[in-house]
Amino acid sequence: MVTTTRPVHRKRDDTRLALLFIAPALIGFVVFMVWPTLRGIYLSFTRFNLLTPPEFNGLDNYVRMAQDPVFWNSLRVTVYYVLVNITLQTVFALVIAVMMQRLTRRTWLRGIVLTPYLVSNVVAAMVFLWILDYQLGIGNALIAAIGLDRIAFLSSEAWVIPTIALINVWRHVGYTALLIFAGLQTIPETMYEAGRMDGASEPRMFRSITVPLLRPVLALVLIITVVGSFQVFDTVAVTTRGGPVDSSRVLQYYIYDVAFGRFQFGYASAMSVALLLVLVAITFAQYRISRAGTSDLS
């Protein structure tokens, strides 16, 4: 009796191929994200000024930070900016996204909405610095032309943070609106048809259908925008440099000033670690409170 053995086909292991494709991004992540983070955490426990080797000083930098009134003022200014920026950006982006969804879905309109995002923060800040100039700015010229008093947008303690927030809202609102618009595409049209059959108005459907079903996307948008807002730097560096009287000295600019203006890299690293911990805590709280991992559609 002759028995034949069938060849055994071993399942191909694509792990090595997958690692090969992942390697460039993984190397970049380790070199430009993981290593600087670990290095910064180490330097936060040292006294370091670039001219001499780091000298371990324990928790001295963190004790100094807790007693530094400028640090706490910078944190307060940053939180104020984040609240203004997030509120305006989320509301405007949601309105724009809903209008694109309910009125028109033309591709060219989405391109126009996204255009400001293609402008760098530095260029946007320089343009608005000219537009809002107290004496020569076209914005104040228009305000004076209608009979109102000129406004010191970037040199007034009351106006400077809302003005910086509006500059960044102008630049980022289109990108945020497109994220929300993409989320709106996941809501079945049958939900709105059922609402119309029940006699619900557009505002009522927005409150009862759109917002609840859009919750995971809104949670993602809020996490991204909050983390980005806490890291505001270039707009402040170009327009106000922390003035007037530290009223726009956000935390990132203070860290930059301490590190590259005073060469106190150990203390600047400690403040960076504190900012990192704040962002991690806020992100975790937002994720849990908003239940970003679940959807009412399932």
Side-chain angles (χ1 to χ4, degrees):
M1 183 176 181
V2 179
T3 59
T4 59
T5 58
R6 301 176 64 182
V8 178
H9 296 283
R10 295 199 309 178
K11 187 177 181 180
R12 182 179 178 182
D13 187 4
D14 292 332
T15 303
R16 293 184 178 180
L17 182 62
L19 291 175
L20 180 64
F21 281 104
I22 295 173
L26 183 61
I27 293 173
F29 178 74
V30 171
V31 172
F32 297 106
M33 295 292 292
V34 176
W35 170 246
T37 300
L38 297 177
R39 175 72 171 171
I41 294 173
Y42 163 70
L43 290 178
S44 70
F45 297 100
T46 66
R47 185 181 295 108
F48 181 48
N49 60 5
L50 282 184
L51 300 178
T52 58
E55 178 185 347
F56 184 79
N57 63 355
L59 297 175
D60 288 357
N61 290 325
Y62 292 95
V63 173
R64 174 185 172 185
M65 181 174 60
Q67 300 173 349
D68 185 358
V70 181
F71 168 78
W72 291 109
N73 177 74
S74 298
L75 183 60
R76 180 187 61 80
V77 170
T78 304
V79 171
Y80 175 40
Y81 165 80
V82 169
L83 292 176
V84 175
N85 182 59
I86 294 304
T87 301
L88 294 176
Q89 188 174 156
T90 304
V91 171
F92 288 154
L94 186 58
V95 170
I96 293 172
V98 171
M99 290 179 63
M100 289 194 297
Q101 168 76 2
R102 309 300 290 169
L103 300 179
T104 179
R105 302 185 186 183
R106 298 292 180 86
T107 304
W108 61 267
L109 181 60
R110 277 175 265 170
I112 293 176
V113 169
L114 189 61
T115 299
Y117 186 72
L118 304 179
V119 180
S120 71
N121 278 332
V122 173
V123 172
M126 292 181 67
V127 170
F128 276 95
L129 182 63
W130 171 72
I131 292 175
L132 302 177
D133 183 85
Y134 186 80
Q135 294 292 342
L136 304 176
I138 188 173
N140 267 310
L142 293 175
I143 292 175
I146 60 177
L148 299 178
D149 294 334
R150 293 174 180 264
I151 300 174
F153 288 102
L154 293 169
S155 56
S156 166
E157 294 183 38
W159 280 96
V160 63
I161 287 298
T163 301
I164 292 173
L166 283 172
I167 294 173
N168 287 321
V169 166
W170 173 83
R171 182 179 180 270
H172 292 91
V173 69
Y175 176 74
T176 306
L178 287 182
L179 290 179
I180 298 175
F181 177 78
L184 290 173
Q185 307 306 302
T186 64
I187 302 177
E189 185 63 29
T190 54
M191 296 285 187
Y192 296 104
E193 294 176 357
R196 295 189 192 97
M197 292 180 63
D198 290 338
S201 62
E202 287 290 336
R204 177 62 185 276
M205 288 193 293
F206 176 78
R207 294 193 307 269
S208 303
I209 298 176
T210 303
V211 173
L213 296 183
L214 200 59
R215 177 176 44 76
V217 176
L218 286 177
L220 172 65
V221 167
L222 284 175
I223 290 173
I224 293 174
T225 51
V226 166
V227 172
S229 297
F230 263 97
Q231 299 178 68
V232 60
F233 168 76
D234 35 18
T235 308
V236 174
V238 171
T239 57
T240 66
R241 298 185 178 182
V245 198
D246 287 345
S247 57
S248 65
R249 186 179 292 273
V250 293
L251 190 52
Q252 282 278 30
Y253 188 80
Y254 184 45
I255 293 172
Y256 167 82
D257 181 47
V258 169
F260 297 98
R262 309 177 196 178
F263 296 101
Q264 300 174 6
F265 288 92
Y267 183 44
S269 297
M271 290 190 290
S272 299
V273 171
L275 178 58
L276 173 64
L277 294 177
V278 168
L279 292 179
V280 169
I282 290 176
T283 301
F284 180 77
Q286 282 184 293
Y287 187 86
R288 293 298 299 270
I289 293 173
S290 62
R291 295 182 293 119
T294 60
S295 173
D296 294 337
L297 283 172
S298 57

